[in-house]
């Protein structure tokens, strides 16, 4: 945690700030170790404050060290309390805040309480989390392996005749059985034509023989997420989807091959996967980015898409997940969570990718 605070303070120097109000829950956890919600940090050059209400005071004492607890009277008053506490860094202190997680009302209260300059730091604090340390990587390896195991157990029970929602609940039960905190996000189980919706909500639809089924799921282990998608055949799929599967698999392998320290998320990884799909004539049917960073949040830096790309660095963890979606017919997506290394990418999810009959 000390190293993390030190890096946050280097960021203050870079941005010309005296302190920063950290309200994004994943950043609060990363910088302080505190795992609850409704909590705000105020980090200055010397001091570090943690503001929360009485529900969390014992937990703060248990989970954080080196932070001074500032007691807020209620959850509604945390932003005010943090603003007031920030005056410890000087009435005219230049303060950063996280515009993406602070509500407009909270911002107005911060503005009212603090006379000094305020600056939206965007995702700069969150980006401190992008490169993982050895302990984080160990946890993410476990999250990936656990997700593989849960997916294998659920698919082994067969998919035909089950409702999509039942398959999603079965995944959650497996995560619980295997000792995960829970799921990293609500699983997507999309069968048949439903698979053409990239973020379909699993429903009452009963999976029928001959359909493709897209399953996108991930476990959360010690706070860290994994993220995998596999597309299964429930019996023999039609000729077009069979071909689409091969194209998506080739695109995913091309994207994975482009992952390495120094590669660019958009120009290298996204471009490599997208080129395979475009060459097969399905360019218009791949409407989302190729990947995203994963960590305490399932979507975080770095970006690997058409509109957002970052240079990858060893220790980052990201996904590679191209897909093709054809309305009325169905969809195919294949996704792995990958650790960026000097020489390439190391998959943290290892479930097989040859088209499996999970009828
Ligand atoms: Zn996913
Ligand atoms: Zn993903």
């Amino acid at each position: 945690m000390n190293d993390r605070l030190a890096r946050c303070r280097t960021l203050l120097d870079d941005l010309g700030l005296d302190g920063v109000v950290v309200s994004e829950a994943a950043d609060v956890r990363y910088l302080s170790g505190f795992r609850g919600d409704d909590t705000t940090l105020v980090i200055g050059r010397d001091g570090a404050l943690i503001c929360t209400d009485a529900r969390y005071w014992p937990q703060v004492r248990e989970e954080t060290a080196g932070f001074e607890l500032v007691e807020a009277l209620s959850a509604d008053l945390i932003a005010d309390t943090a603003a007031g506490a920030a005056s410890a860094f000087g009435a005219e202190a230049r303060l950063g805040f996280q515009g993406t997680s602070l509500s407009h009302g909270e911002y107005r209260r911060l503005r009212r309480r603090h006379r000094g300059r305020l600056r939206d730091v965007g995702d700069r604090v969150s980006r401190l989390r992008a490169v993982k340390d050895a302990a984080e990587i160990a946890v993410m390896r476990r999250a990936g392996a656990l997700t593989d195991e849960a997916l294998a157990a659920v698919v082994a029970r067969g998919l035909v005749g089950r409702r999509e929602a039942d398959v999603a609940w079965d995944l959650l039960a497996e995560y619980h059985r295997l000792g995960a905190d829970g799921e990293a996000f609500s699983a997507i189980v999309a069968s048949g034509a439903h698979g053409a919706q990239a973020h379909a909500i699993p429903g009452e639809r009963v999976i029928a023989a001959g359909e493709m089924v897209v399953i996108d799921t991930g476990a959360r282990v010690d706070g860290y997420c994994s993220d995998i998608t596999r597309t299964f055949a429930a019996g023999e799929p039609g000729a077009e989807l069979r071909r689409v599967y091969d194209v998506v698999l080739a695109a995913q392998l091309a994207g994975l091959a482009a992952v390495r320290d120094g590669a660019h998320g958009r120009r290298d990884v996204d471009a490599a996967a997208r080129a395979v799909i475009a060459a097969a004539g399905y360019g218009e049917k791949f409407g989302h980015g190729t990947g995203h960073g994963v960590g305490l949040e399932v979507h975080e830096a770095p970006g690997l898409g058409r509109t957002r790309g970052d240079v990858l660095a060893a220790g980052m963890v990201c996904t590679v997940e191209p897909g093709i979606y054809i309305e009325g017919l169905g969809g195919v997506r294949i996704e792995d969570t990958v650790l960026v290394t000097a020489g390439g990418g190391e998959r943290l999810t290892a479930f097989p990718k040859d088209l499996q009959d999970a009828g």
Side-chain angles (χ1 to χ4, degrees):
M1 295 300 160
N2 280 342
D3 162 63
R4 296 176 184 182
L5 275 183
R7 285 191 287 124
C8 187
R9 286 178 173 134
T10 302
L11 179 64
L12 294 182
D13 288 339
D14 292 348
L15 297 174
L17 296 172
D18 299 306
V20 62
V21 177
V22 178
S23 46
E24 173 62 49
D27 298 327
V28 169
R29 174 169 181 158
Y30 183 75
L31 292 168
S32 72
F34 178 72
R35 296 180 300 166
D37 51 16
D38 285 342
T39 296
T40 295
L41 306 179
V42 188
I43 295 170
R45 289 165 188 282
D46 302 315
L49 313 175
I50 183 163
C51 311
T52 193
D53 65 273
R55 285 174 298 162
Y56 290 124
W57 295 342
Q59 190 183 333
V60 162
R61 291 185 198 105
E62 215 169 87
E63 294 181 343
T64 69
F67 278 79
E68 185 186 331
L69 173 62
V70 180
E71 299 179 349
L73 286 179
S74 72
D76 303 340
L77 290 175
I78 288 166
D80 298 66
T81 306
S87 62
F89 306 135
E92 299 294 331
R94 291 158 301 175
L95 279 188
F97 68 93
Q98 298 184 293
T100 47
S101 67
L102 213 61
S103 73
H104 183 63
E106 287 167 336
Y107 171 78
R108 282 168 43 133
R109 292 204 289 279
L110 184 60
R111 180 72 284 172
R112 209 178 302 139
R113 291 289 298 266
H114 183 70
R115 295 212 316 268
R117 219 180 91 204
L118 289 177
R119 173 174 172 183
D120 185 353
V121 299
D123 65 354
R124 294 294 295 271
V125 173
S126 304
R127 280 178 173 272
L128 296 172
R129 296 189 271 113
V131 172
K132 275 67 181 173
D133 64 28
E136 292 178 293
I137 290 168
V139 171
M140 294 193 75
R141 270 188 221 287
R142 279 202 284 133
L146 190 150
T147 301
D148 285 340
E149 193 178 341
L151 185 58
V154 169
V155 171
R157 291 193 265 279
L159 296 176
V160 171
R162 297 168 82 185
R163 294 184 320 149
E164 293 172 347
D166 291 336
V167 175
W169 275 107
D170 199 8
L171 283 162
L172 185 57
E174 281 297 326
Y175 291 149
H176 177 63
R177 190 180 68 79
L178 293 167
D181 305 347
E183 56 185 1
F185 55 93
S186 301
I188 294 164
V189 179
S191 58
H194 203 190
Q197 298 174 33
H199 270 201
I201 297 167
E204 300 298 316
R205 200 177 186 289
V206 174
I207 298 166
E211 290 182 336
M212 298 280 257
V213 186
V214 180
I215 300 182
D216 186 346
T217 184
R220 188 181 290 274
V221 174
D222 288 348
Y224 286 82
C225 303
S226 66
D227 189 4
I228 187 174
T229 307
R230 290 293 182 268
T231 302
F232 298 94
E236 184 55 36
E240 178 159 25
L241 281 178
R242 187 71 189 76
R243 171 173 141 73
V244 163
Y245 190 93
D246 292 337
V247 173
V248 172
L249 179 54
Q252 206 247 358
L253 295 175
L256 284 174
V259 171
R260 75 177 61 80
D261 178 71
H264 193 278
R266 172 171 51 81
R267 290 197 297 271
D268 297 320
V269 183
D270 183 78
R274 202 167 292 282
V276 173
I277 290 177
Y282 290 106
E284 301 291 309
K285 309 292 184 192
F286 175 23
H288 55 76
T290 292
H292 53 83
V294 188
L296 285 169
E297 291 180 291
V298 71
H299 292 134
E300 59 179 48
L304 300 93
R306 276 180 302 185
T307 54
R308 185 178 163 192
D310 295 304
V311 175
L312 304 182
M316 287 181 172
V317 176
C318 63
T319 69
V320 176
E321 52 177 307
I324 294 176
Y325 310 91
I326 302 172
E327 255 187 88
L329 184 67
V332 174
R333 180 167 65 258
I334 301 173
E335 170 180 33
D336 283 304
T337 301
V338 189
L339 170 67
V340 181
T341 69
E346 178 200 325
R347 286 203 288 143
L348 303 183
T349 46
F351 196 95
K353 283 188 279 200
D354 46 317
L355 183 58
Q356 297 203 3
D357 185 343

